[in-house]
Structures are given as structure tokens and as C-alpha cells.
Amino acid sequence: MWQEDPVATHAAHTAPDADTRAMRRAVELAARGLGSTSPNPVVGCVLTDPAGTVVGEGWHERAGGPHAEVHALRAAAGAARGGTAYVTLEPCDHTGRTGPCSRALVDAGVARVVYAVPDPTPQARGGADTLREAGIATECGLLAAEAEAGNAAWLTSVRRGRPYVLWKYAATLDGRVAAADGTSRWISSAESRADVHRLRAEADAVLVGSGTLRADDPHLAVRGAEDARQPLRVVLDTRATVRPGARVLDGAAPTLVAVAEDADTGHLAGVDVVRLPYDGDGLSVAALLGELHRRAIRSVLLEGGPTLAGAFVAAGAIDEVVGYLAPVLLGAGPAALADAGIGTLSEALRLRITRTDRIGTDLRITAVPTAPKEH
């Protein structure tokens, strides 16, 4: 809930609808940093003068660069004195590669700061306290759900100690991801396939299993997105079946091959390999995500087939699902999701649809778990 600091309430308090418009704009600005700020969060900032006129906007554009507040203050050029700052994340209170944004706002003379989400990191939180101590009216929680959704990858990584996992798949209307003979190119439209490259460009890592590797020899790099940062390509390959010459091992993007502790990797000299323990019938999903988190991977796009998707669902490691449903019927062939450790309807992982879109001839459905399955 939106909570107003009882101390030093701004005399010319902005109307609530104006507050909402400004914060929604800050959320929109934050989204411009997707794919370029990791391992840092995406943040947007809007500054208004005492009359409520927008005088500066900014967003965190890249890791190591100025934060959103600094960009907005530079754009305002002093006009924000006595005004309000709307920020999607609590202004940071530490000095890293950049200085503390809380102090920058104090020095700029803003009278009020409205932020959507408290900063959960021990090293950066505390900005709100610094602002209050300086006599600045400080309010928290406006459009918190929207700001959290836009920053879901970073927040999940901080709160849960693992990357945010988005499972993407393309299927027919009857839920098949390939025909009975194994052919799958192309179920979805060209527009849907182009949209997948957008998802890749926003992710830190793209993950497939050995089955997809053998069937499709995927490349997994981003194409068609100007100035896109290439994600880490990850192959979960228990027995190290990937061979030199596989497209995923070219130089277009970095690659990590995850194998069993006893796998023979002599043919993978020069390849980045990580060995993982077993968890039941397959390699440990939790151990893989832990390793990726240690490598500062904050978001993973899961593009593997039904078996790998089932393992992630069984591990409670799916945070979002994007399904591209094509107006095609097959009647036979593998389903989008294999065994996920669900034995009865009461154990089903239920989802909440957050949006639906027409993409070419397909329907794109985006959904999130209503109650994530935890292990």
C-alpha cells in the first residue's frame, strides 16, 4: 500500500492522479533498460517542478553508468528544486561505480520523493532514511506492483538467490511442439520467431537441453536486434554429447556447458564447462541456477524442450511462461510439457494470465504462477 511519510509533507502536494501518471511514466522509462543494465536493476525517474510540470526524465541505461535519478537531474538542469522525484526503486544510498542517488536528490533540493519499491539489497538500501533525515517528504508504494513486474528478474535474483526463469515455447492449438515424426519447423509464425529474439535480448542467459541440441543444433544468439547484448548460451548436457562444430560453440556469444560430475569432457577443450550433481533422474536444477547466480546471471530464458521444461516445473523454478500458440492442429507428437512431478489435478501449477497478444498469425499468452511450486 502507498504510504506517505508523516514528516515534512510537501506544502504543494501533487494531486494523486498526477502522481500516478508520473510514476507510470517512470515505469515505462525503466523498461528501456531491459537487456543492458544487468546485473543491476532497471530504474526509471521523472522529476517535476513545484507546479507539477515535468522538467526531467531518465532511466538506468547500462550497468556501470549513471543511475536514473542522475540522468533525470541532468535533464532538469536545476528546475527540480522544490519539486518531486518519482522513482521506480528506492534511491540508492551507497557509493559503487556511481555515487548515492539519495545524496544527489538532496543536493538538487527536491522537496518530495515518491518511490515504488524499497531496495532489498543491504548495500544499497537506506536511501529513504537519508532523504527523510534531510527533511524531504518521502513516500513508498505507488504503483508497486507495476514497478515490481518490470524489475522482476533483478528482484527475484536478490530475494531468492537464483535467476528469474522465463519459459518460452511454441505449440499448436492442441499443445504439440512437434509432429509425430519429430518435425517442428516451423510451428509458429515468422513474427513470433522474431519476438523470441526480443526475449533473448532482454535475458542474461538462454538455456536448452541436450535433446534440443541434438534435434535442432540451435544457435541461440540474438539476431535482428540492433546493439543487443548477447546472452550467455547455456546447454544442460548430462553426458557431454555436444561436439566441436555445434553452432552453439561458435564465437557469436559466450557458451557454458553444464555436465554431470563424471562426464567425459576431453573433447571440449577450451569450452567453459561446469559440473553439476544429480537430483533424482537428472542434473540438479537448483545447482545449475545457483551456478548461474554466482556468475551474475539475473534472468534465464528457458528454450528447452518438454523434458527440460518439466524438470524446471518440478523444481519450482518457473517464474513466467510465454507461449506462442499457432492455429495448427497435429493430433499427435510431443506435448509442450513432459513429466513435471504432477500426479493429480490438485497438484497442478496454476497460472495467472497477465496479457494476451496477436503476433503474426499466432496468439502469445504471457502468464505467471499463482502459487509457485517450491522445493
Side-chain angles (χ1 to χ4, degrees), residues 341-351 370-373:
I342 298 170
T344 184
L345 187 61
S346 63
E347 298 174 350
L349 177 59
R350 298 194 177 273
L351 307 174
T370 55
K373 186 178 179 182

Side-chain angles (χ1 to χ4, degrees), residues 28-73:
E28 294 172 356
L29 292 169
R32 297 184 182 183
L34 286 170
S36 61
T37 65
S38 188
N40 296 342
V42 295
V43 184
C45 177
V46 171
L47 295 172
T48 63
D49 65 13
T53 302
V54 174
V55 294
E57 294 184 341
W59 67 93
H60 186 35
E61 299 176 6
R62 60 178 179 82
H67 290 185
E69 297 93 324
V70 174
H71 281 299
L73 288 169

Side-chain angles (χ1 to χ4, degrees), residues 139-183:
E139 302 159 26
C140 172
L142 179 62
L143 298 189
E146 293 183 26
E148 288 223 6
N151 221 2
W154 182 79
L155 288 168
T156 296
S157 178
V158 170
R159 292 168 176 169
R160 303 182 66 180
R162 66 158 177 83
Y164 184 88
V165 178
L166 187 158
W167 171 40
K168 159 258 143 185
Y169 70 94
T172 63
L173 281 184
D174 56 341
R176 309 294 177 175
V177 293
D181 65 355
T183 56

Side-chain angles (χ1 to χ4, degrees), residues 206-210 213 218 220 233-238 242 248-249 255-259 288:
V206 180
L207 171 64
V208 299
S210 56
L213 188 74
L220 302 182
R233 300 176 294 187
V234 182
V235 179
L236 192 61
D237 187 15
T238 304
V242 62
V248 77
L249 296 180
T255 300
L256 174 68
V257 179
V259 303
L288 172 63

Side-chain angles (χ1 to χ4, degrees), residues 186-194 324 326 359-362:
W186 293 103
I187 286 176
S188 59
S189 66
E191 292 85 351
S192 290
R193 297 195 298 274
Y324 298 88
I359 305 289
T361 57
D362 305 331

